[in-house]
Amino acid sequence: MEFDIFFSISQTPDHNGFTPSESEMFSNYYAQLDAADRLGFGVAWIAQAHLSTKTQQMNSKPVVPHWKGEVGLCTDFCQLAMESFRRTKNIDVGSAVVSILASGGPIAQAERIANTVQFLSHMDSNRKLHVGFSAGRFEFMARPYGIIPRNKIEQASWPALRGQIFLEASEIFLRLLRGETINSDDIRETILTRENFRSEEDWLAVQKAAGGDSSEISIGRRYQFEEISIVPKSWPRNQLELIAGTHDPKAQEYVNKFMPVKVFNLSITSPEVIDSTHERMKNVYHKDGGSWQRRDMPRTTFVFLNAEKDLTPEQQSVAAKEEARNALGEYWKALEGTLDPSKVEKAADNALIGNPAEVAAQVKERFHPDDRLMCWFDFFNHDNERVIRNMEAWWNDVVPLLG
């Protein structure tokens, strides 16, 4: 079993109402990153965000209306990744996840990523940049970049169409990273059918907007360009790992037509979906990536570990459960109206909660020996010293019990 770490850098109040400043948030991140590098975590996964969550609440259709503070302060993954590499010796750095629809779209993102890997290779030829990419969890982050319905047909077919835009953007992103010269005419066309929609009612609304009952509705490409390729052209692609942040099986298969692309799961993903994803990816994973391994899908998990030395194991267990309730309670309030409460309850069920012995038992019960865990310690927790103690307790007290 392998252990990575996830950093949310989320500037939001904890259960006591405390919100650190931006500089305090990054000071905490650097301290925790240093500890992660020292302790032996494999990849430091950084949450990527775009634009202010607070400001979007002024919009006519706010996506996260109840969130206090900012969802994330890392709005330029490539720069923070390079700074993180400079400050560490062993740990890899990854994004969880970059939106390829925001910040200039797939063309700009491809060029940024290629440059970042090139600059990384100038200082370290062994470590890797892991780029998790997606359409973006929160739609407001891509709207200013033109990812909005352009006509009544697109309005009627949204958000199903947004998933198709992600496929178009992914093809552009991956083919440019692969080193190709492409023209927008070379890229997939979007043709909507009944299969793209959850209900007959949704599909009929799109047909009505299109003014007929056609079984196929063609949508114009979102990106238009003549021949382009990115610079740099000669860079060590072996130092880049790609991971798709999508649960759509068709999308997972589509991106692997171009390059080896691994997949993410969420903390709320059920074991059944995890297992079916592994089975499917064995068949569709790009041949250049070798055979599919369980480690190719990092397992995100909240870690509410209490190993405080002044408490008995029983007291640690009680305290850990209370800490989990407090943190998850703030999360529920923040995401009210954006996430099914039953899914959040599943997240709590999937969390690792307790003293070291309890957490170790939960890991052995819930995870496969070949899994790769993405441990989330800073979840609604701004007590930097305590977060680092929890990270240390993971390696010193939990891992030895896993056998």
Side-chain angles (χ1 to χ4, degrees), residues 157-221:
S157 59
W158 212 264
L161 177 59
R162 189 167 178 266
Q164 300 301 304
I165 296 170
F166 172 65
L167 295 183
E168 180 184 345
S170 294
E171 179 174 348
I172 295 168
F173 177 68
L174 295 169
R175 291 179 68 176
L176 289 174
L177 284 174
R178 196 165 67 177
E180 290 189 44
T181 295
I182 57 173
N183 181 303
S184 57
D185 291 341
D186 303 330
I187 307 303
R188 75 187 299 275
E189 295 182 80
T190 294
I191 298 176
L192 299 178
T193 66
R194 168 66 182 86
E195 188 180 352
N196 296 112
F197 298 89
R198 294 181 178 178
S199 71
E200 185 69 22
E201 182 182 8
D202 289 344
W203 172 235
L204 289 174
V206 177
Q207 288 181 312
K208 181 179 179 181
D213 59 358
S214 175
S215 61
E216 294 185 347
I217 297 174
S218 180
I219 303 293
R221 290 186 179 89

Side-chain angles (χ1 to χ4, degrees), residues 120-362:
L120 167 62
S121 72
H122 295 166
M123 57 190 282
D124 193 314
S125 60
N126 295 313
R127 291 198 277 173
K128 292 185 178 183
L129 185 75
H130 301 251
V131 176
F133 65 96
S134 74
R137 179 173 180 185
F138 298 121
E139 201 170 318
F140 79 88
M141 296 178 180
R143 285 175 181 163
Y145 297 97
I147 308 303
I148 55 175
R150 297 173 294 188
N151 53 52
K152 63 181 182 180
I153 299 174
E154 294 192 357
Q155 182 71 53
S157 59
W158 212 264
L161 177 59
R162 189 167 178 266
Q164 300 301 304
I165 296 170
F166 172 65
L167 295 183
E168 180 184 345
S170 294
E171 179 174 348
I172 295 168
F173 177 68
L174 295 169
R175 291 179 68 176
L176 289 174
L177 284 174
R178 196 165 67 177
E180 290 189 44
T181 295
I182 57 173
N183 181 303
S184 57
D185 291 341
D186 303 330
I187 307 303
R188 75 187 299 275
E189 295 182 80
T190 294
I191 298 176
L192 299 178
T193 66
R194 168 66 182 86
E195 188 180 352
N196 296 112
F197 298 89
R198 294 181 178 178
S199 71
E200 185 69 22
E201 182 182 8
D202 289 344
W203 172 235
L204 289 174
V206 177
Q207 288 181 312
K208 181 179 179 181
D213 59 358
S214 175
S215 61
E216 294 185 347
I217 297 174
S218 180
I219 303 293
R221 290 186 179 89
R222 184 66 45 157
Y223 304 96
Q224 299 286 340
F225 50 88
E226 294 187 25
E227 285 72 17
I228 60 169
S229 63
I230 62 169
V231 175
K233 294 186 178 298
S234 178
W235 51 281
R237 290 171 175 82
N238 64 310
Q239 287 185 254
L240 173 65
E241 296 276 348
L242 294 164
I243 310 93
T246 173
H247 286 268
D248 179 359
K250 292 183 178 178
Q252 293 170 347
E253 181 175 355
Y254 187 72
V255 295
N256 272 284
K257 290 182 177 180
F258 307 104
M259 294 179 73
V261 181
K262 301 172 183 180
V263 297
F264 276 130
N265 80 297
L266 296 174
S267 55
I268 58 178
T269 306
S270 69
E272 295 77 18
V273 172
I274 294 290
D275 290 340
S276 65
T277 302
H278 279 302
E279 288 304 310
R280 185 178 60 258
M281 292 304 296
K282 288 178 183 178
N283 299 318
V284 304
Y285 188 50
H286 195 286
K287 60 181 177 58
D288 290 353
S291 60
W292 177 261
Q293 309 291 327
R294 285 192 70 93
R295 70 178 304 278
D296 293 332
M297 181 167 62
R299 301 287 305 276
T300 314
T301 182
F302 300 124
V303 180
F304 298 103
L305 172 63
N306 191 303
E308 296 298 277
K309 302 303 182 186
D310 59 341
L311 301 179
T312 66
E314 292 76 15
Q315 291 171 327
Q316 292 171 345
S317 178
V318 171
K321 292 180 175 66
E322 180 64 19
E323 290 158 359
R325 274 195 295 271
N326 287 335
L328 289 167
E330 292 303 313
Y331 190 52
W332 290 333
K333 287 189 290 184
L335 289 179
E336 182 183 349
T338 70
L339 195 64
D340 184 340
S342 66
K343 291 184 177 180
V344 181
E345 289 174 15
K346 287 182 181 179
D349 292 340
N350 290 344
L352 301 173
I353 305 172
N355 59 40
E358 291 172 324
V359 168
Q362 292 163 21

